[in-house]
Amino acid sequence: MTRSVVISINSAWNIVNFRASLIDALIAHGYDIVVVAAPDAYAAQIPRKSCRFIPIAMDNGGTNPFLDGKLLVDYYRVLSQVRPQCFLGYTVKPNVYGSLASHLLGIPTISNVAGLGTAFISPSWITFVSKALYRMAFSRASRVFFQNNDDLEYFVSRHLVNAAIASRIPGSGVDTDRFAPRATPRRVGRFRFLLLGRLLWEKGIREYVEAARIMKENNQDVEFYLLGFLDVANRAAIPRSQVEHWEAEGLITYAGSADDVIPFIVEADCVVLPSYREGAPRALLEAASMAKPIITTDVPGCRDVVDDGVTGFLAQVRDPVDLARKMESMLALPEEERLWMGQRGREKMQQEFDEQIVIQQYLAAIDSVSRRQ
């Protein structure tokens, strides 16, 4: 009997960049993998032996009930054809509508809550609706993974998920072999801070730019790089014109977007992410794995990745003045201390966030529900 798993997420890009190792492990473990995701330029990279791609239209940032209703019907149609042993969902809409369709068909579900997003950072009627949908979607789930303890406690305390099926998983993990320190000649030039991630306001990009302004006014000899996708289809996206304005002011250097972030991390002296809330930020995991000291905010998800004063610094959220202080503290450290911070960060990634830890938890969960089929 063929053992199949449907993995669904909000974009093919997300599969290619963050789930390839998990897919390889599941295939090696004897599972046939079907990827269901919104198509994009990365969709052609998904098909491989025992892995096929089924595109599904998904209005990722939208709240149109008719489009969401259509998404539920589309999931039902796809899942009734595939009939997998398990549905594995990531991101909001696959977690909600993919899970609901799976419940109707009697398919076990495993979900990953990778952070709570804009709806929970800025509460509104959307937050109320989101909670109701999550409660329904997770009511019959086999397992729900959370990427940090704050999010897990939030869902359990508000009865959005049964504590018996909820557990923490260390994000998506990080390939500590690929993201290893590089022995490169010392870069000549100004001290470089780097922020990499989607260009959304909630990533703390405004605070990063304002901290850059403060440090430049204090005549600090530093440079501030920004790497990430522009023109994201998200209501919290930063307009290209705003980024160009910051560049014209001489505050930041926009480095565009890249599939391979390693060369940019290599060239950075410190990686910064002043986000408002995260699951377990991949950018920080990759930077720490490469032995770079990091600065982030004392919020759920981010604080789990940094040991304050040991592997980096924690700043107050939405506070560019405090962020600038932490950057100045990093700049003032002797190079030997920054190298020591970076090495402690790599050790933390190897011990707590290596992707093999994540993969083994998924294999155990999927094997468990498959045995009950």
Side-chain angles (χ1 to χ4, degrees):
M1 176 179 167
T2 300
R3 300 195 304 168
S4 61
V5 174
V6 165
I7 297 179
S8 188
I9 205 162
N10 62 1
S11 67
W13 174 88
N14 208 320
I15 287 285
V16 170
N17 283 277
F18 297 151
R19 313 297 164 194
S21 294
L22 175 61
I23 289 174
D24 289 340
L26 288 169
I27 291 172
H29 207 63
Y31 288 102
D32 287 340
I33 304 300
V34 178
V35 172
V36 178
D40 55 34
Y42 291 79
Q45 298 181 40
I46 292 176
R48 64 182 75 192
K49 183 181 178 182
S50 299
C51 178
R52 63 189 175 105
F53 175 63
I54 299 177
I56 191 168
M58 197 178 305
D59 183 21
N60 290 318
T63 57
N64 187 315
F66 297 103
L67 292 178
D68 287 349
K70 180 180 182 301
L71 179 60
L72 177 61
V73 171
D74 288 344
Y75 267 120
Y76 186 91
R77 173 181 52 80
V78 169
L79 291 169
S80 63
Q81 293 170 356
V82 177
R83 289 286 175 173
Q85 275 67 56
C86 178
F87 174 86
L88 179 55
Y90 296 86
T91 64
V92 177
K93 298 209 172 180
N95 275 340
V96 170
Y97 299 106
S99 293
L100 290 174
S102 296
H103 298 335
L104 292 172
L105 292 164
I107 298 168
T109 65
I110 298 172
S111 293
N112 182 304
V113 179
L116 300 189
T118 305
F120 291 86
I121 292 171
S122 302
S124 65
W125 67 269
I126 298 175
T127 313
F128 176 82
V129 173
S130 297
K131 287 180 181 179
L133 289 171
Y134 271 127
R135 188 177 287 111
M136 286 191 293
F138 293 163
S139 63
R140 295 169 59 191
S142 298
R143 173 65 57 183
V144 180
F145 288 122
F146 294 85
Q147 297 195 356
N148 62 69
N149 288 325
D150 293 274
D151 291 350
L152 190 158
E153 182 181 351
Y154 183 97
F155 270 63
V156 169
S157 65
R158 288 160 177 79
H159 307 291
L160 305 180
V161 67
N162 187 328
I165 63 166
S167 59
R168 177 183 175 272
I169 198 168
S172 303
V174 59
D175 184 343
T176 56
D177 292 330
R178 181 185 174 208
F179 289 92
R182 300 297 197 268
T184 57
R186 191 179 188 283
R187 181 174 56 81
V188 177
R190 294 182 294 173
F191 191 95
R192 180 177 297 179
F193 291 102
L194 169 68
L195 190 159
L196 60 151
R198 292 180 298 160
L199 298 193
L200 308 176
W201 293 112
E202 64 199 44
K203 297 295 181 183
I205 293 173
R206 189 197 310 275
E207 288 76 9
Y208 179 71
V209 173
E210 289 307 309
R213 188 189 306 278
I214 292 168
M215 292 189 71
K216 287 177 178 290
E217 288 174 352
N218 292 339
N219 298 313
Q220 299 284 12
D221 190 23
V222 289
E223 55 189 6
F224 299 85
Y225 271 58
L226 187 60
L227 177 72
F229 289 111
L230 269 173
D231 303 328
V232 180
N234 188 303
R235 61 182 180 276
I238 298 173
R240 179 179 295 273
S241 59
Q242 179 64 75
V243 175
E244 291 173 346
H245 178 73
W246 287 331
E247 276 205 292
E249 283 190 89
L251 296 173
I252 56 106
T253 298
Y254 176 56
S257 60
D259 291 335
D260 183 7
V261 300
I262 289 175
F264 297 91
I265 297 175
V266 167
E267 290 293 310
D269 295 294
C270 175
V271 172
V272 183
L273 183 66
S275 182
Y276 300 168
R277 190 180 187 112
E278 292 283 340
R282 186 68 173 260
L284 295 186
L285 300 184
E286 292 170 349
S289 183
M290 291 183 67
K292 296 293 180 178
I294 54 183
I295 297 174
T296 190
T297 37
D298 189 9
V299 298
C302 294
R303 66 168 71 102
D304 297 330
V305 179
V306 180
D307 294 332
D308 193 25
V310 178
T311 68
F313 294 127
L314 291 175
Q316 295 302 307
V317 67
R318 302 178 190 254
D319 188 343
V321 174
D322 189 56
L323 181 61
R325 288 195 197 101
K326 297 306 189 297
M327 288 179 170
E328 289 168 348
S329 296
M330 183 65 71
L331 184 62
L333 288 176
E335 183 178 7
E336 295 76 14
E337 289 193 32
R338 286 196 297 270
L339 292 173
W340 181 87
M341 268 190 168
Q343 186 55 41
R344 299 292 81 73
R346 174 161 175 78
E347 291 169 2
K348 183 178 179 69
M349 295 303 105
Q350 291 173 313
Q351 294 166 10
E352 300 177 28
F353 289 92
D354 190 284
E355 70 176 4
Q356 290 306 313
I357 299 171
V358 176
I359 288 171
Q360 290 307 313
Q361 290 191 49
Y362 274 116
L363 287 174
I366 293 170
D367 283 347
S368 177
V369 300
S370 295
R371 284 194 295 270
R372 297 198 293 267
Q373 295 295 294

